[in-house]
Amino acid sequence: MGFKFNVGGSGPGLSASKSTYYTSIAQGALIASLTDPFGSGATYAVVGSTPSTLALASGGRIVAGAGAHADGQASTIIIRATKGARAVEEPLIFTAIPIPRAASYPKAGDLVFGLSPYRTVGNGSTTLAYAPASGFLNEVADNFMPAQPAGWRPVYFNFGLNSADSAGPTALETSPGNSNTLDCSVTFTAANGGGTRVAGTFGGAASFVMPDGGFAIEDARPAFAGGFHRVSLTTPSGGKRPTGWNADAAFGEYRRRGGTYASSNAAGGQISGSAPDSNRGYKPHGVLIPFNGSTPSVLLIGDSITQQNDLRFDARQLVGGIVKALGDPSGPGSFGVANFGHHGAAMEDLMDVTPGSNRFSLRYAMLAAARDMNGGRWPFTHIWSQGLRNDFSGMVSAATPEDALVLLKARAQAWWDFLAKTFPGIPIIQSTISARVTNDSATNYTLVDGQQPRPATAGIALEAFNTWLVQTTPAPLAMAVDLQDGQRELRSDPNFTGQSPVWARLAFVKAGGGKLATALAAGTAVSTIKITASTAPAVGSACYFEPGTSSVEMKGNISTVTDNGDGTFTLGLASNVTPSYPHAVGTVFMTAPTTDGTHPESVVHDIWAATIRSLKPLIANI
């Protein structure tokens, strides 16, 4: 709640967005934003001494000082706001309070989500499930698995997520229509079923039949040093099974399909069977570990922006910038993460946990089961929402940015209130909403002027919403995270007075891009590209050939960059690309941060990750 003190009983007052903050706050963290008493243009200064617990930061922000904070401690700071000859002076009081921990907040020893390499709980992209041919009812997959503490438990789902890009209820959890059998779950410390072998169990049994739309949680496992997790899944004849993400040979992952389950696969050695099918492998959807009482465990809920393949092979953090950062072992260490992102979902789609709704009910059932195993306490310490992108995109009926802003604020508030009511006492974090644009097909996202907000009214409103979010941290949010820097620029809106955010030009593009140093032939696959340029392009950006010409095409992502020391760079590609047109030596080569105007490429996720890594100490203290 805001509050106000008036001096002398006349003139405009100076107020702050909040009067309380959590005792565990980290130095420099936002406590409140000052409201400009003149509407705009005020400058602020502290009158007299500043209490050690507080500080005045740029932009009219009160932040935590270096001094110690105690529950119930009230600190007064006198702020003077001036604009020209006008001035307002107010004593503002801020009180430290303990973080409210509901009875449902986890205790040490409870099960919480730990670090895992898995992308989303839906275990697939836009297709829920596929019906395997009669000869391939079984599949076995070796998946990379990071080190786990004693007591860890893999979690599996027998359902997937459909895809719809509009306001709900349209994005739904969808069951395969049949049970599926987990034949075995075995860890190996080396690739191809080598090294130390440990088999998992389900209620003491080696296998488990997952009901249609159900889930499975393994028995507690001993500590695992890291390596590979082999899972066998068998589907009944005529049935379906959830789809999976591609195997990645760079990490030793491998999958095969066969007619029936072969028990020899659980004993070790390379997976037997026929028809390698790297596009359809099944894997767990996360892991539960015993809570150590301090390391955060984050439930990530959002849309397809939560998902991204990682092009950096030095770390197996596969779900975009947020998970890359939270799972990074640097700083305060790796946080646990469960990615419940749902491609195509508006957050309105998820605001129903009623059994049978299949909006959020199947995922909620698993969370509730873990809660019950914890004696009524949730299996996570924080909730991070990276959602609302599709809610915003669906507001095509708004006539003006002002109309759209009102609608989005209402939609966001309903979503946050749902989370607070459904998971009481769990701190909620919301990150800013990324841009969504159409583009000039000839220049794509290499120029700012070629981009148009989608829908048109959404541009200015999006900027206003993100500003409101970051400056006020609306209740019941515990923290707002600004991920705009480095991924958006502002341009004048041709339809409305004001500026709209669009995808930023990458530094490589701003420096003039590059030119091909070797020719590319149409129809010939390549794994590397050599260019001349004054600066190196960024890993994770999309390759863009000959913008503005009839031979324009965007293909491939940069996974490695080698400076040859002679003004040329050799770019390694995440996978082979085959040009549709010939590209001669000297033709223009550019890069882009997005290939569709909505989803960021890995380069943007890396920018986000860098921002979030620095915030991890603050996150751990809310």
Side-chain angles (χ1 to χ4, degrees):
M1 294 179 60
F3 66 103
K4 180 187 292 186
F5 292 99
N6 288 322
V7 175
S10 63
L14 174 65
S15 63
S17 59
K18 295 179 180 179
S19 60
T20 61
Y21 63 95
Y22 294 142
T23 304
S24 58
I25 194 169
Q27 182 180 358
L30 177 68
I31 290 177
S33 297
L34 300 176
T35 300
D36 193 324
F38 311 112
S40 63
T43 58
Y44 302 96
V46 177
V47 178
S49 61
T50 302
S52 64
T53 52
L54 305 175
L56 175 64
S58 62
R61 296 175 298 123
I62 302 296
V63 300
H69 305 265
D71 292 345
Q73 178 182 10
S75 302
T76 301
I77 184 171
I78 301 175
I79 300 295
R80 182 179 179 84
T82 59
K83 182 178 182 180
R86 292 183 293 172
V88 176
E89 193 173 295
E90 301 278 5
L92 303 178
I93 302 174
F94 300 93
T95 303
I97 60 174
I99 294 177
R101 297 297 192 206
S104 57
Y105 189 87
K107 295 181 179 180
D110 285 345
L111 292 173
V112 295
F113 287 105
L115 182 64
S116 84
Y118 304 128
R119 293 176 173 88
T120 65
V121 296
N123 204 33
S125 49
T126 57
T127 304
L128 151 76
Y130 74 104
S134 59
F136 305 116
L137 296 178
N138 173 259
E139 64 177 34
V140 185
D142 277 351
N143 303 301
F144 175 89
M145 175 62 73
Q148 301 292 343
W152 71 286
R153 299 166 178 251
V155 177
Y156 310 81
F157 287 145
N158 191 29
F159 59 87
L161 308 174
N162 75 353
S163 179
D165 189 9
S166 61
T170 51
L172 300 173
E173 301 159 324
T174 313
S175 302
N178 51 266
S179 62
N180 279 295
T181 301
L182 290 163
D183 307 298
C184 71
S185 167
V186 188
T187 55
F188 299 95
T189 54
N192 293 320
T196 303
R197 169 190 179 275
V198 177
T201 57
F202 305 85
S207 63
F208 182 79
V209 178
M210 291 188 293
D212 182 29
F215 59 89
I217 301 176
E218 276 194 36
D219 299 332
R221 282 176 161 273
F224 180 55
F228 296 86
H229 184 198
R230 178 171 295 184
V231 176
S232 176
L233 187 78
T234 297
T235 299
S237 179
K240 295 181 179 181
R241 57 177 169 244
T243 59
W245 287 79
N246 295 358
D248 195 329
F251 295 98
E253 293 185 330
Y254 191 71
R255 300 186 182 118
R256 278 191 178 273
R257 297 176 291 152
T260 59
Y261 168 58
S263 60
S264 60
N265 283 327
Q270 189 167 10
I271 298 169
S272 62
S274 59
D277 188 8
S278 63
N279 293 321
R280 301 292 190 182
Y282 181 80
K283 61 174 62 176
H285 302 87
V287 298
L288 294 171
I289 64 171
F291 183 38
N292 64 8
S294 60
T295 302
S297 174
V298 180
L299 177 67
L300 176 62
I301 308 180
D303 47 42
S304 55
I305 307 300
T306 67
Q307 306 171 38
Q308 183 67 31
N309 293 351
D310 194 350
L311 301 181
R312 294 183 182 276
F313 295 146
D314 58 346
R316 190 61 158 153
Q317 298 299 325
L318 290 173
V319 201
I322 292 177
V323 173
K324 287 183 184 182
L326 298 181
D328 193 302
S330 63
S334 298
F335 294 179
V337 185
N339 188 351
F340 276 44
H342 187 154
H343 43 270
M347 296 302 95
E348 182 185 2
D349 291 324
L350 308 184
M351 291 166 51
D352 188 348
V353 297
T354 306
S357 71
N358 283 33
R359 299 182 74 183
F360 196 57
S361 60
L362 298 181
R363 283 165 285 184
Y364 180 82
M366 177 266 141
L367 296 175
R371 175 200 62 194
D372 294 344
M373 294 170 70
N374 288 339
R377 294 175 295 276
W378 293 110
F380 45 86
T381 62
H382 297 66
I383 296 172
W384 189 310
S385 168
Q386 199 182 19
L388 298 170
R389 170 66 274 169
N390 291 323
D391 295 76
F392 203 88
S393 301
M395 293 177 182
V396 294
S397 62
T400 67
E402 291 76 15
D403 294 336
L405 179 59
V406 171
L407 292 172
L408 183 57
K409 283 184 176 181
R411 184 73 62 80
Q413 194 67 57
W415 167 238
W416 300 331
D417 289 345
F418 162 79
L419 291 174
K421 179 181 178 181
T422 306
F423 307 105
I426 304 296
I428 303 169
I429 301 168
Q430 174 71 51
S431 45
T432 50
I433 302 172
S434 55
R436 189 182 192 206
V437 301
T438 55
N439 65 281
D440 178 331
S441 61
T443 58
N444 209 292
Y445 309 102
T446 58
L447 297 177
V448 171
D449 292 340
Q451 303 178 52
Q452 295 287 349
R454 181 160 51 120
T457 55
I460 298 171
L462 173 60
E463 187 70 11
F465 176 87
N466 282 333
T467 298
W468 169 74
L469 172 68
V470 172
Q471 291 185 352
T472 64
T473 313
L477 298 180
M479 184 177 186
V481 177
D482 190 351
L483 297 181
Q484 297 177 103
D485 289 348
Q487 67 97 50
R488 71 93 162 86
E489 291 184 53
L490 295 176
R491 51 154 289 181
S492 297
D493 193 298
N495 300 301
F496 303 97
T497 301
Q499 290 187 310
S500 301
V502 296
W503 290 98
R505 295 164 297 166
L506 299 172
F508 174 71
V509 172
K510 291 180 180 180
K515 295 183 179 181
L516 288 180
T518 56
L520 303 178
T524 300
V526 295
S527 60
T528 62
I529 297 169
K530 189 175 182 180
I531 63 170
T532 58
S534 61
T535 188
V539 168
S541 53
C543 299
Y544 193 55
F545 302 94
E546 298 193 67
T549 74
S550 59
S551 298
V552 58
E553 60 182 325
M554 180 182 288
K555 289 189 175 182
N557 289 85
I558 300 171
S559 60
T560 61
V561 177
T562 302
D563 187 343
N564 299 317
D566 59 357
T568 69
F569 298 88
T570 299
L571 314 180
L573 304 180
S575 59
N576 289 355
V577 300
T578 303
S580 299
Y581 302 98
H583 300 292
V585 171
T587 55
V588 174
F589 175 86
M590 292 286 187
T591 58
T594 177
T595 57
D596 63 5
T598 299
H599 298 94
E601 295 301 306
S602 291
V603 61
V604 176
H605 283 277
D606 286 338
I607 293 171
W608 288 346
T611 298
I612 296 169
R613 285 189 190 99
S614 66
L615 298 176
K616 288 172 68 178
L618 302 183
I619 294 169
N621 281 300
I622 61 173

